């Protein structure tokens, strides 16, 4: 049984790492000889701020949806639910003032938030009972998600049918019959308005 993501060494046939945050850091610099070394998602001048927003996003959003969806009590669910939507409100306000989360440029922080946002309306809203508002109900967060989705190469990494299969089909304790929903109808290729906010 494998967990994802996994960084696999084909020569030694061993797992190098399976922690997503560590893999992101490794891919950012450890393979500069093979890619664009000018691209730095974790620039030294922004590291403290990136680390701070990463903690906030992980605690309240990335892990927050799981804390709500897999809660063992009503109280735990309600606390995670409130924290999640308070964090969404905070990010919505932040993204109304600036194009990216940190430093006027796309960074690791944006990359780490994206997977939860892109899955939100398809999975977390319904299956994990995170149903106060959809991502589509947030003007800036939804436009921000579309901008990242439309970056070269990103859309090819998003497969909504496989996302549904993994969650609705794989989490039988939440969806005992494994029935996969046909919706929602989402279009992340629609134009976004992020360029009017600018990089500040």
């Amino acid at each position: 049984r494998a967990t994802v993501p996994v960084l696999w060494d084909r020569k030694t046939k061993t797992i190098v790492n399976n922690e997503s945050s560590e893999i992101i850091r490794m891919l950012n610099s450890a393979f500069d000889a093979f890619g664009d070394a000018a691209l730095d998602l974790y620039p030294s001048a922004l590291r403290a701020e990136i680390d701070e927003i990463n903690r906030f996003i992980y605690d309240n959003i990335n892990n927050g949806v799981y804390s709500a969806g897999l809660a063992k009590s009503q109280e735990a669910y309600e606390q995670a639910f409130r924290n999640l939507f308070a964090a969404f409100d905070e990010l919505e306000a932040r993204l109304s003032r600036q194009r990216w989360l940190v430093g006027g440029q796309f960074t690791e922080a944006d990359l780490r938030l994206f997977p939860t946002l892109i899955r939100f309306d398809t999975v977390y809203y319904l299956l994990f009972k995170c149903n106060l508002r959809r991502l589509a109900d947030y003007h800036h967060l939804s436009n921000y998600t579309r901008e990242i989705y439309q970056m070269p190469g990103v859309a090819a990494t998003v497969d909504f049918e496989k996302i549904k299969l993994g969650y609705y089909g794989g989490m039988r304790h939440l969806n005992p019959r494994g029935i996969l929903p046909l919706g929602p109808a989402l279009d992340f290729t629609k134009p976004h308005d992020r360029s009017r906010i600018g990089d500040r």
Side-chain angles (χ1 to χ4, degrees):
R1 184 174 181 142
T3 61
V4 291
V6 167
L7 187 58
W8 177 259
D9 187 324
R10 291 194 324 197
K11 279 191 175 179
T12 61
K13 296 184 173 22
T14 58
I15 292 174
V16 176
N17 200 307
N18 69 342
E19 168 50 49
S20 60
S21 62
E22 293 173 11
I23 292 172
I24 289 169
R25 295 267 169 95
M26 293 169 76
L27 293 176
N28 186 57
S29 58
F31 300 97
D32 281 353
F34 307 100
D36 183 358
L39 179 63
D40 186 1
L41 299 181
Y42 191 55
S44 56
L46 299 176
R47 287 181 182 177
E49 195 176 351
I50 290 171
D51 290 344
E52 182 181 357
I53 194 77
N54 279 348
R55 279 190 295 273
F56 172 79
I57 288 168
Y58 178 79
D59 290 344
N60 297 293
I61 298 175
N62 298 140
N63 194 52
V65 292
Y66 286 90
S67 296
L70 305 178
K72 302 294 188 206
S73 71
Q74 184 70 31
E75 182 181 22
Y77 162 72
E78 289 183 10
Q79 187 61 60
F81 183 97
R82 285 191 208 94
N83 292 346
L84 168 66
F85 286 99
F88 270 4
D89 290 344
E90 189 168 324
L91 291 185
E92 175 74 359
R94 185 184 191 113
L95 292 169
S96 73
R97 301 184 303 268
Q98 59 195 59
R99 190 166 182 174
W100 305 110
L101 291 174
V102 175
Q105 64 187 78
F106 182 85
T107 67
E108 173 191 293
D110 302 291
L111 183 61
R112 288 179 57 165
L113 176 59
F114 177 75
T116 303
L117 296 182
I118 200 71
R119 296 176 191 144
F120 192 82
D121 289 357
T122 301
V123 174
Y124 305 131
Y125 179 85
L126 183 61
L127 185 64
F128 282 15
K129 300 181 287 295
C130 297
N131 58 358
L132 182 64
R133 284 182 290 276
R134 301 166 305 151
L135 178 69
D137 297 323
Y138 290 93
H139 178 82
H140 298 289
L141 271 171
S142 59
N143 273 274
Y144 164 85
T145 304
R146 286 202 302 277
E147 178 168 20
I148 297 173
Y149 181 85
Q150 292 170 28
M151 290 177 163
V154 174
T157 70
V158 179
D159 186 326
F160 287 108
E161 295 312 309
K162 286 186 178 169
I163 289 169
K164 289 179 195 178
L165 185 62
Y167 282 91
Y168 290 92
M171 302 186 86
R172 292 299 180 96
H173 57 297
L174 298 180
N175 186 32
R177 297 189 184 275
I179 295 170
L180 306 184
L182 294 178
L186 303 171
D187 184 3
F188 287 96
T189 66
K190 290 193 312 189
H192 60 80
D193 64 0
R194 300 303 291 165
S195 59
R196 71 177 180 77
I197 293 173
D199 298 321
R200 54 179 190 268

